[in-house]
Amino acid sequence: MNPKDLEDRYELPVYPRRDVVLVRGKGARLYDDQGREYIDCASNVGVSNIGHGNEEVAKAIYEQYLTLGNCYGMFYNPVRARLAEKLVSLSPPKLKRVFFCNSGTEAVEGALKFARASTGKGEIIAAMRGFHGKTFGALAATWGEEYQKPFMPMMPGLKHVPFNNFQKLAEAVSGETAAIILELVQGEGGVRVGDKACFQQVRELCDQRGILLILDEVQTGFGRTGTLFACEQFVEPDLLCVAKSLAGGIPMGAVLCSDAVKVPMKSHTSTFGGNPLACAAALATLEIIERENLPERARTLGEYFMGELRAIRSEKIREVRGLGLMVGIELKEKAGPYVQHLMEKGVIVLLAGATVIRLLPPLVITREEIDRVLAAIKEVLT
Ligand SMILES: Cc1ncc(COP(=O)(O)O)c(C=O)c1O
């Protein structure tokens, strides 16, 4: 049986599938089982910032597996130690410690638990259209009936307020508020860039009321928006959730924490969290991001990309928006058919809501590849 039939038959059908079998990737290119080439503008939903098939990361993983692949957190390990130091040194100054986990939703899960434990309070405020993952804590913070309804009841204590509206957020705060969790650029919610002034007001409110600010940079982290972390362009958090591209495609998440975060011994741990294999992959990935100056590359290529997209004269486009190489094209109609047309033209893109085409190319994408993507977009939208 071919892979499509096998997966359809044996896996739970929770992913809306596209009719393609991807087998290989290199840089910003993907290849299917028919040998067809695609330019990747999805990066596995923001995972492959350094591109596919990086040999330095492959070598780091191979060598680490032969040395020591797993090492539970009750034992010290030099690779994890180096990564902890490195991540803290790259983070905003206030963030002094890290907790390692295995995915974005786990990073959010950890941050929510740390916020409750540190403040002794139970309420969390999140934003409408926000996306934070699908395990129970993160799911309660994620916006949308589509995701929550089948799994009711949700974890109590969550309130949602409109994104980018300080007044409404301030009204939702109470004496029981432990934390506010926000994305700086809402990804799944439609590539919506938050307002710096609003985030700074939120920061002040948090400081005045003893509330912890959690920023979810699972999608915006590691160069995507033009700086290593998007928060460098907006506001400093008390907790920073990262995952996706951290370890170059190996599953890994992390929560970076300020001194305000205090958690009892044994209260939150993970078997695989901080395993040396993922840590070695992350160290190699961070070295590549720094050496190749990928955040700056994302900034300049993103400006070029969005400039050219805005120049496309199409009745179908409502707005082009984004930050760095996190780009959204909002259409005046459903975007699904165009996502399919683009795939037929050899460009893989994502949706973000019903009407937004989301583009998250690997940050190593070349200008020539972007020009090919632009030509395909122009062709399908005009
Ligand atoms: C902002 C944000 N937070 C959390 C998550 C959840 O990450 P994961 O799918 O690794 O659990 C995502 C995934 O898309 C995300 O974009």
Side-chain angles (χ1 to χ4, degrees):
M1 250 195 259
N2 73 37
K4 291 181 203 167
D5 294 337
L6 285 173
E7 290 206 53
D8 285 344
R9 177 154 163 194
Y10 291 111
E11 291 176 19
L12 266 184
V14 289
Y15 298 92
R17 299 270 200 207
R18 299 200 197 168
D19 189 21
V20 60
V21 181
L22 293 177
V23 292
R24 195 161 63 82
K26 191 74 192 163
R29 310 279 174 109
L30 289 167
Y31 300 86
D32 71 13
D33 59 348
Q34 310 297 310
R36 203 166 166 223
E37 184 183 84
Y38 302 84
I39 299 180
D40 181 13
C41 283
S43 297
N44 274 309
V45 198
V47 168
S48 315
N49 286 14
I50 61 162
H52 301 280
N54 184 286
E55 282 170 24
E56 280 175 65
V57 177
K59 192 161 169 278
I61 293 168
Y62 177 77
E63 284 173 359
Q64 187 58 49
Y65 188 78
L66 289 178
T67 308
L68 185 64
N70 272 283
C71 177
Y72 191 68
M74 72 170 62
F75 298 101
Y76 293 103
N77 176 264
V79 190
R80 187 167 56 231
R82 270 171 51 218
L83 179 63
E85 184 185 36
K86 180 83 189 165
L87 265 183
V88 169
S89 76
L90 292 172
S91 303
K94 204 170 161 179
L95 306 182
K96 305 245 173 66
R97 286 175 190 268
V98 62
F99 171 80
F100 289 118
C101 53
N102 313 287
S103 66
T105 199
E106 270 184 77
V108 170
E109 207 72 29
L112 298 178
K113 287 178 73 179
F114 300 160
R116 281 187 169 176
S118 306
T119 61
K121 296 176 180 172
E123 279 180 15
I124 315 277
I125 301 175
M128 292 172 180
R129 289 208 178 100
F131 185 89
H132 301 289
K134 292 179 180 168
T135 53
F136 265 114
L139 179 62
T142 287
W143 171 254
E145 209 179 65
E146 177 195 2
Y147 299 137
Q148 291 191 349
K149 203 173 166 193
F151 307 107
M152 289 293 182
M154 285 293 106
M155 179 183 95
L158 260 292
K159 288 185 198 167
H160 285 91
V161 296
F163 183 56
N164 240 354
N165 183 329
F166 177 71
Q167 203 49 47
K168 287 270 190 277
L169 187 143
E171 282 165 25
V173 164
S174 79
E176 272 309 299
T177 307
I180 297 170
I181 180 165
L182 295 168
E183 292 159 275
L184 296 159
V185 183
Q186 290 190 320
E188 303 291 320
V191 192
R192 288 166 210 280
V193 185
D195 182 12
K196 181 173 177 177
C198 179
F199 284 114
Q200 288 181 340
Q201 283 178 300
V202 175
R203 176 72 270 172
E204 279 169 31
L205 178 73
C206 287
D207 292 340
Q208 284 160 9
R209 303 287 299 262
I211 296 166
L212 296 172
L213 178 58
I214 305 171
L215 291 181
D216 179 347
E217 290 227 40
V218 168
Q219 197 164 138
T220 52
F222 303 106
R224 172 64 53 196
T225 67
T227 41
L228 187 68
F229 299 112
C231 62
E232 294 163 40
Q233 300 170 62
F234 292 85
V235 72
E236 200 171 359
D238 301 295
L239 296 105
L240 180 65
C241 301
V242 294
K244 288 203 190 273
S245 59
L246 163 58
I250 294 292
M252 183 172 227
V255 190
L256 286 140
C257 306
S258 75
D259 284 340
V261 174
K262 297 197 166 37
V263 200
M265 189 64 77
K266 288 189 357 192
S267 61
H268 193 70
T269 56
S270 158
T271 299
F272 286 122
N275 69 82
L277 197 68
C279 290
L283 280 167
T285 302
L286 291 173
E287 197 181 312
I288 294 162
I289 292 174
E290 279 188 300
R291 191 185 61 223
E292 313 281 326
N293 205 357
L294 293 184
E296 176 60 15
R297 190 182 170 86
R299 191 184 67 75
T300 51
L301 282 177
E303 274 172 16
Y304 170 72
F305 197 11
M306 280 191 277
E308 294 296 308
L309 286 170
R310 288 189 180 115
I312 296 175
R313 292 281 145 253
S314 164
E315 283 296 301
K316 299 188 171 85
I317 299 177
R318 185 182 303 283
E319 190 187 21
V320 173
R321 55 181 181 246
L323 196 62
L325 280 173
M326 184 165 181
V327 176
I329 309 171
E330 179 160 2
L331 303 183
K332 294 176 189 162
E333 56 192 281
K334 290 225 176 331
Y338 298 101
V339 169
Q340 180 60 30
H341 290 168
L342 282 168
M343 205 167 78
E344 285 154 19
K345 298 209 167 294
V347 178
I348 292 184
V349 300
L350 295 163
L351 277 173
T355 57
V356 179
I357 299 174
R358 180 171 34 150
L359 301 129
L360 302 174
L363 310 184
V364 296
I365 193 168
T366 63
R367 178 128 164 198
E368 183 262 326
E369 286 167 331
I370 287 186
D371 285 337
R372 283 177 52 189
V373 172
L374 283 163
I377 292 173
K378 201 166 176 176
E379 217 178 313
V380 304
L381 289 180
T382 56

